[in-house]
Amino acid sequence: MANLEEEKRIDQAQFRDHLSTVNEDGKRNWIFPKKPSGRYYTARNILAVFLLAFFFSGPFITINGNPLLLLNILERKFVIFGVAFWPQDFHLLLLGSLVFILFIVLFTAVFGRLFCGWACPQTIFMEMVFRKIEYWIEGDSAAQIRLNRAPWDFKKLRKKVTKHTIFFGMAFLISNMFLAYIIGKDQLFEIITDPPSEHIAGLSSMIIFSGLFYGVFAFMREQVCHFVCPYGRMQSVLLDNNSINVMYDYVRGESRASIKDRYQLENRKATLEDLGFSANETFGDCIDCYQCVKVCPMGIDIRNGTQLECVHCTACIDACDSVMEKIDKPRGLIRYSSENAIREEKQKVFTPRVAGYSGILLILLTTFITLLTLRPDTETTILREPGTLYQELPDNRYANIYNVKILNKTFNEMPVEIRLESPEGEIVSLGSVDSIQPQNSAEGRFMVQLYQENLSGYQTELTFGIYSGNEKLETVTSGFLGPGNSTNN
């Protein structure tokens, strides 16, 4: 065990040239983190229970009979907090995405990777579900290492098979829930209950997603955060010396010396020179117990400074606090802090950069809310029928034929009426659209007749009002083709 730690230990002078999960031969160093405990771990467990409960119950929660969250990419139907969005609302989705991304940038600039450690699905499932199952079956880190090094026998085979069977079962369950957010719970139940031959595509998706999640949580693990997640790779541009991170207080902690060395010095059993220290060396609070490294699921030494591998899981904080209490030192040698707070004892959160991000975010958020509030319940398109010209009617009247398509964005059947608001004229139905089914669209044709005195030459702009009862839903414009010598001016 001690030899394994020594092999993986990377000192401060070299840690930026190495990955803790890769050895000198380029092979993977499997991480066996010690089971954490402490106040932060307890808090993360409580939060994880709420988040997992939300994830597994989300597909079954409805608002007025509508799903809480549905991201049906295949059918281009999106429901977010009970509000339906269609491809016609792409500008809202784009603006909402910009708001979300800028919020992440702002949040990261202030609080670092707090999201990764506390709310990221990868961390929640890995550390609060799969890792706990592993601890339960194979024991803590030392027992896992012994089991991995042991020859294959019935006991090892039983534990490995049991672990991976449960892992795949969890991955299958997660993939089903994930699919429910995409296609909806009703379609998911149909896939589960109908004969497999009727849902080949759905079952294939289940198997693919199950395999993907199983591979991520059983084998890839921290590699996802290191090499796949783009958020982690952006930390170098999102963080600065004022960002709050999980930090080692090197001012208080350095120089390090083990309990054994301190005991020998205090009892005059060795000199500083004997132990390899300089003659005027002074020691900080860090006793180099390595506990902060043993519990780290990323395999890093937080004492080497801020590293992109760190997901702010706070396991090192709990481990260090526990040690500090045992040696009668104040907690917080590793804590949430910033580089400037530790080095200069100045904690500044509202920096010019944060102020700039906040201002832009406020503008985007205000625009998004305004557009969302003004969004009509229908999306109507009225176009003159292709390939047709105007028709000349008795009494100096002219007519154009139009195609109309109305999309009902609501979850209720909606009666609709098209009214010509300007100029004065008449609508003759050729295939009326009286009502539209919820979450559906309807198409129809109608003729517009105008008197010559209401025309404005070749092109006259028409303004239609789309009504549901007496409520005006939206205003739509279109063009009316008339004879060139007609004008009301």
Side-chain angles (χ1 to χ4, degrees):
M1 180 73 177
N3 291 334
L4 182 64
E5 291 174 1
E6 289 297 328
E7 291 173 5
K8 294 182 179 179
R9 187 184 288 249
I10 299 173
D11 63 36
Q12 195 167 14
Q14 297 180 325
F15 82 98
R16 293 195 188 280
D17 301 326
H18 297 78
L19 274 176
S20 57
T21 55
V22 179
N23 63 24
E24 293 181 353
D25 298 327
K27 297 180 180 177
R28 183 175 178 183
N29 276 332
W30 193 267
I31 305 298
F32 297 95
K34 185 179 177 184
K35 186 177 181 179
S37 63
R39 52 180 177 150
Y40 284 105
Y41 187 63
T42 301
R44 287 175 60 216
N45 271 290
I46 295 172
L47 179 62
V49 168
F50 281 105
L51 293 176
L52 289 170
F54 178 79
F55 174 78
F56 285 109
S57 61
F60 307 99
I61 298 174
T62 59
I63 299 176
N64 297 324
N66 309 311
L68 175 70
L69 186 64
L70 178 68
L71 304 174
N72 194 336
I73 301 172
L74 302 176
E75 297 180 5
R76 295 177 296 175
K77 291 172 62 176
F78 305 92
V79 181
I80 301 173
F81 296 113
V83 179
F85 293 88
W86 290 80
Q88 288 81 358
D89 298 315
F90 177 76
H91 63 291
L92 285 175
L93 293 175
L94 180 62
L95 193 57
S97 300
L98 287 175
V99 170
F100 180 68
I101 291 171
L102 189 58
F103 172 76
I104 291 176
V105 171
L106 173 61
F107 187 85
T108 306
V110 177
F111 298 106
R113 297 180 71 174
L114 191 67
F115 168 81
C116 295
W118 291 77
C120 174
Q122 165 70 16
T123 306
I124 294 293
F125 282 119
M126 184 67 247
E127 302 303 326
M128 299 302 174
V129 178
F130 288 87
R131 192 84 74 186
K132 284 178 180 291
I133 294 171
E134 196 166 61
Y135 287 139
W136 173 56
I137 296 174
E138 296 186 354
D140 210 339
S141 59
Q144 291 178 28
I145 293 172
R146 286 196 298 271
L147 183 66
N148 270 32
R149 290 179 172 177
W152 283 97
D153 56 12
F154 177 75
K155 179 182 177 183
K156 181 174 180 177
L157 184 65
R158 175 176 57 82
K159 288 190 174 185
K160 292 294 183 183
V161 170
T162 303
K163 183 182 79 169
H164 285 280
T165 302
I166 296 176
F167 274 13
F168 189 82
M170 285 301 306
F172 182 74
L173 179 61
I174 293 170
S175 71
N176 275 263
M177 292 298 104
F178 183 71
L179 209 56
Y181 281 104
I182 295 178
I183 63 176
K185 62 180 175 56
D186 295 332
Q187 287 193 45
L188 178 65
F189 285 145
E190 289 178 5
I191 294 174
I192 295 173
T193 55
D194 288 352
S197 58
E198 296 181 10
H199 299 283
I200 298 298
L203 288 172
S204 300
S205 300
M206 271 188 191
I207 294 171
I208 292 172
F209 282 126
S210 298
L212 180 66
F213 287 124
Y214 171 69
V216 165
F217 296 117
F219 302 106
M220 288 193 68
R221 302 189 164 198
E222 76 284 347
Q223 304 293 311
V224 174
C225 302
H226 289 181
F227 304 113
V228 179
C229 178
Y231 182 56
R233 314 302 297 180
M234 294 167 59
Q235 298 306 303
S236 59
V237 295
L238 296 179
L239 302 179
D240 60 23
N241 286 343
N242 290 303
S243 301
I244 298 173
N245 294 299
V246 173
M247 301 282 293
Y248 165 64
D249 189 344
Y250 53 87
V251 175
R252 173 186 154 190
E254 300 296 314
S255 296
R256 309 168 197 171
S258 67
I259 288 291
K260 179 182 176 183
D261 289 345
R262 293 171 195 251
Y263 175 82
Q264 288 182 314
L265 291 170
E266 289 172 1
N267 291 278
R268 300 183 183 278
K269 295 183 177 180
T271 64
L272 288 167
E273 290 78 6
D274 293 337
L275 299 174
F277 297 106
S278 61
N280 57 351
E281 190 74 68
T282 57
F283 299 125
D285 286 352
C286 180
I287 59 172
D288 205 20
C289 61
Y290 212 58
Q291 293 301 311
C292 56
V293 182
K294 289 180 178 178
V295 296
C296 180
M298 297 292 123
I300 64 171
D301 188 342
I302 193 63
R303 297 172 299 174
N304 290 332
T306 303
Q307 297 156 67
L308 67 84
E309 295 96 331
C310 177
V311 294
H312 290 203
C313 70
T314 67
C316 55
I317 297 181
D318 282 330
C320 187
D321 282 349
S322 174
V323 172
M324 290 296 108
E325 289 174 355
K326 290 176 182 176
I327 62 173
D328 292 329
K329 297 286 186 181
R331 297 191 299 190
L333 181 60
I334 300 175
R335 62 182 184 272
Y336 278 118
S337 187
S338 68
E339 174 66 24
N340 282 345
I342 289 176
R343 185 175 56 195
E344 303 173 3
E345 298 184 353
K346 293 179 181 178
Q347 182 67 62
K348 187 177 182 182
V349 174
F350 199 71
T351 62
R353 186 169 75 134
V354 171
Y357 288 158
S358 301
I360 298 173
L361 179 61
L362 184 62
I363 293 171
L364 288 177
L365 187 61
T366 303
T367 306
F368 175 73
I369 293 175
T370 302
L371 291 177
L372 187 63
T373 305
L374 297 176
R375 189 186 74 141
D377 291 335
T378 57
E379 186 84 23
T380 304
T381 304
I382 299 177
L383 297 173
R384 199 165 53 78
E385 190 163 85
T388 61
L389 300 175
Y390 64 85
Q391 300 176 29
E392 190 170 355
L393 303 176
D395 302 326
N396 292 325
R397 291 179 301 150
Y398 293 89
N400 279 191
I401 298 175
Y402 292 87
N403 293 325
V404 58
K405 182 177 181 180
I406 306 177
L407 172 66
N408 179 6
K409 299 179 181 177
T410 71
F411 294 100
N412 302 311
E413 184 177 352
M414 180 182 291
V416 294
E417 181 185 1
I418 304 172
R419 300 176 187 174
L420 179 62
E421 298 190 329
S422 70
E424 185 177 349
E426 183 181 356
I427 291 180
V428 178
S429 174
L430 302 176
S432 59
V433 179
D434 298 325
S435 66
I436 313 171
Q437 295 299 312
Q439 296 284 288
N440 216 323
S441 62
E443 299 182 17
R445 296 170 73 239
F446 63 87
M447 174 188 288
V448 173
Q449 299 178 359
L450 299 180
Y451 283 97
Q452 186 176 11
E453 60 265 28
N454 293 326
L455 300 181
S456 305
Y458 286 114
Q459 282 285 350
T460 301
E461 182 176 284
L462 304 181
T463 303
F464 299 94
I466 312 301
Y467 288 81
S468 180
N470 293 323
E471 181 187 0
K472 186 177 181 180
L473 301 175
E474 61 177 319
T475 300
V476 182
T477 61
S478 189
F480 187 95
L481 189 64
N485 58 353
S486 299
T487 178
N488 58 357
N489 296 326

